Amino acid sequence: MITTNGNKQEIDHMDTDHLTTLNLGPTHPATHGVFQNILKMDGERIMDAVPTVGYIHRAFEKIAERRAFYQITTLTDRMNYCSSPLNNMGWHMTVEKLAGIELPKRVEYMRVVIMELSRISDHLICNSILGVDTGAFTGFLYIMQAREQIYEIYEEICGARLTTNMGRIGGFERDFNDIAMRKIDKFLAEYPAVLTEFENLFNRNRIFMDRTIGTGGITAERALNYGFTGPNLRAAGVDYDVRVTSPYSSYQDFDFNIPIGINGDTYDRFMVRNKEMWESLSIIRQAMEKIKALPKGVFHAEVPDFYLPPKEDVYSQMEALIYHFKIVMGETEIPKGEVYHSIEGGNGELGFYLVSDGSRAPYRLHFRRPCFIYYQAFPEMIKGQLISDAVVTMSSLNLIAGEMDA
């Protein structure tokens, strides 16, 4: 029997004789990745759900424990592949924290630019695909042009687009050239109009609102109990942001607001991500002004253990040859110690717990993947709702299979 209390469906008791089992995933387009939900259904109403991950079998953490520190970047790339530079730079900061490496201000501001571009890319993918899942394909096609602009900026900086190995322990592999700077300025000038048009398509759209308001809600207390962070926690009304509570990469030098919601439902999650994109644009503008006010050519700290020397020096200087060999062969040793460092990723607090025994590879490494934590709450959030509600709830949580199955 199901009773209605406002927008929430309450299940009084379960008559198992009339229930059916439905597999939502692992190869269903609505799951947005390779994971499964085993649903107990009473007609179209969800009575219970059991989530399952593990279909990718990548074992990133154990692979990382057999790799040199600088080689782990290609693993962090592939966790949340919608915003891979955020993952990479979070990992680099963790090693820098352990090794005691301090970065020049210009390098930190350059990181802020890339990390906020990544946040915008992540949010626009999440929100536009939520539109697709509610039957609105136009917004997705329209805003993807902006994502291409961001990827072109990445491509100009490092030659790659999706998994971008532009960062290094200690900074960047190379400086932003003039073309990259112009492309960033062009994006800052053009994206506000695109985002405004996108919001006009959805924010007050009656069909979209009916599908999302009151759907997949979670209270602030329950969200905190599950360990929610990021946009999904802020949508429930909790103004927690790692950039503010534990500033890194000089985020304390920037002025920005923390958007929050009220009901913690699908609509609030959508609105919070939209507002965060506006804040990211503001942060990038501030960072670009600071970068342009500083001398060019500074793009990494003085850490020769992590930067390949110029090739002409390798051919003629023994010290450069030694550094080249040590870096390529992964023989750079890291101090013994134990650190945890986190950043505000696209989906929330992305953390790295690193234990080093002083050798060439981590003794133990654990990734705190926000998507893996959200997914635990999914059965509770969809219980008593329709299967169509489960699809948009999953979409608004922005579940990325790469983060869940690390």
Side-chain angles (χ1 to χ4, degrees):
M1 178 180 175
I2 300 172
T3 58
T4 303
N5 179 15
N7 287 323
K8 183 175 178 171
Q9 299 288 341
E10 294 184 350
I11 302 171
D12 292 341
H13 66 271
M14 189 180 299
D15 184 1
T16 57
D17 293 340
H18 297 91
L19 299 185
T20 57
T21 301
L22 176 68
N23 281 317
L24 181 61
T27 56
H28 191 288
T31 59
H32 298 185
V34 189
F35 46 91
Q36 180 186 37
N37 291 277
I38 304 171
L39 307 179
K40 291 292 184 182
M41 307 288 299
D42 182 2
E44 286 194 41
R45 189 77 59 186
I46 299 169
M47 312 302 286
D48 198 11
V50 178
T52 307
V53 298
Y55 289 92
I56 302 178
H57 302 299
R58 297 188 300 178
F60 276 177
E61 292 176 350
K62 287 304 173 186
I63 295 173
E65 290 168 12
R66 298 294 182 270
R67 286 195 176 185
F69 286 83
Y70 78 94
Q71 294 174 340
I72 295 171
T73 306
T74 53
L75 301 177
T76 56
D77 249 345
R78 288 156 175 81
M79 289 196 298
N80 184 350
Y81 32 75
C82 294
S83 51
S84 58
L86 275 164
N87 311 336
N88 297 344
M89 292 177 185
W91 164 243
H92 296 154
M93 291 178 207
T94 305
V95 180
E96 291 161 5
K97 186 175 184 178
L98 179 63
I101 299 171
E102 293 188 10
L103 272 61
K105 278 288 186 180
R106 187 174 187 272
V107 179
E108 295 198 325
Y109 297 149
M110 289 167 65
R111 276 187 174 172
V112 167
V113 169
I114 297 301
M115 287 190 288
E116 293 306 317
L117 285 173
S118 300
R119 195 179 320 280
I120 291 172
S121 173
D122 196 282
H123 286 358
L124 70 83
I125 292 170
C126 174
N127 278 2
S128 62
I129 292 179
L130 176 58
V132 174
D133 288 335
T134 58
F137 200 40
T138 301
F140 172 82
L141 294 175
Y142 179 64
I143 207 166
M144 280 301 106
Q145 300 174 80
R147 187 192 72 162
E148 287 301 302
Q149 283 186 286
I150 294 174
Y151 284 2
E152 286 176 7
I153 293 169
Y154 295 166
E155 192 172 19
E156 186 60 43
I157 294 171
C158 70
R161 295 165 58 83
L162 185 67
T163 51
T164 55
N165 197 11
M166 70 178 75
R168 295 291 185 273
I169 298 169
F172 285 84
E173 191 268 337
R174 66 187 69 175
D175 199 0
F176 294 178
N177 61 28
D178 291 340
I179 298 174
M181 297 290 278
R182 287 198 297 270
K183 287 187 174 182
I184 295 170
D185 289 336
K186 184 174 184 288
F187 177 80
L188 291 173
E190 295 179 357
Y191 188 59
V194 175
L195 183 54
T196 299
E197 186 72 15
F198 180 77
E199 290 182 323
N200 290 339
L201 288 170
F202 287 98
N203 286 9
R204 305 303 300 168
N205 183 297
R206 176 49 54 192
I207 298 174
F208 182 77
M209 293 172 71
D210 287 345
R211 289 292 307 278
T212 57
I213 293 177
T215 301
I218 188 169
T219 65
E221 181 183 5
R222 292 300 294 159
L224 287 169
N225 287 343
Y226 272 109
F228 275 36
T229 52
N232 295 338
L233 177 63
R234 292 190 283 271
V238 181
D239 60 344
Y240 175 75
D241 190 310
V242 181
R243 295 172 295 178
V244 176
T245 58
S246 303
Y248 55 91
S249 199
S250 295
Y251 266 105
Q252 66 273 12
D253 296 349
F254 301 94
D255 294 323
F256 60 97
N257 299 314
I258 305 175
I260 60 171
I262 300 172
N263 302 314
D265 58 12
T266 297
Y267 186 74
D268 274 0
R269 289 189 283 271
F270 174 84
M271 294 297 291
V272 163
R273 283 187 170 89
N274 275 348
K275 291 175 182 176
E276 286 190 5
M277 285 192 276
W278 288 109
E279 296 302 321
S280 291
L281 285 171
S282 173
I283 293 171
I284 295 170
R285 288 194 189 96
Q286 296 174 58
M288 289 294 286
E289 290 176 2
K290 295 178 185 295
I291 291 170
K292 291 174 181 177
L294 294 170
K296 293 182 179 180
V298 179
F299 56 92
H300 66 83
E302 291 300 321
V303 281
D305 285 338
F306 297 102
Y307 277 85
L308 290 173
K311 186 62 73 174
E312 57 272 18
D313 293 345
V314 174
Y315 290 145
S316 59
Q317 300 176 20
M318 179 55 70
E319 185 179 12
L321 178 62
I322 292 171
Y323 274 120
H324 187 280
F325 176 83
K326 289 183 65 177
I327 294 169
V328 171
M329 299 305 293
E331 296 300 330
T332 299
E333 293 186 352
I334 300 291
K336 293 181 180 180
E338 182 177 342
V339 296
Y340 174 78
H341 183 74
S342 63
I343 65 166
E344 184 66 34
N347 279 322
E349 182 176 344
L350 174 64
F352 301 87
Y353 172 64
L354 170 63
V355 180
S356 170
D357 61 358
S359 62
R360 66 188 297 273
Y363 175 77
R364 182 72 180 96
L365 178 60
H366 176 65
F367 303 137
R368 185 200 187 276
R369 300 105 60 197
C371 282
F372 182 72
I373 294 167
Y374 299 148
Y375 198 42
Q376 320 307 309
F378 186 63
E380 178 180 324
M381 297 171 72
I382 64 173
K383 191 172 291 187
Q385 303 204 342
L386 302 177
I387 190 168
S388 58
D389 297 329
V391 171
V392 297
T393 299
M394 184 186 302
S395 183
S396 68
L397 288 173
N398 197 25
L399 297 174
I400 306 295
E403 272 195 3
M404 291 193 288
D405 198 15

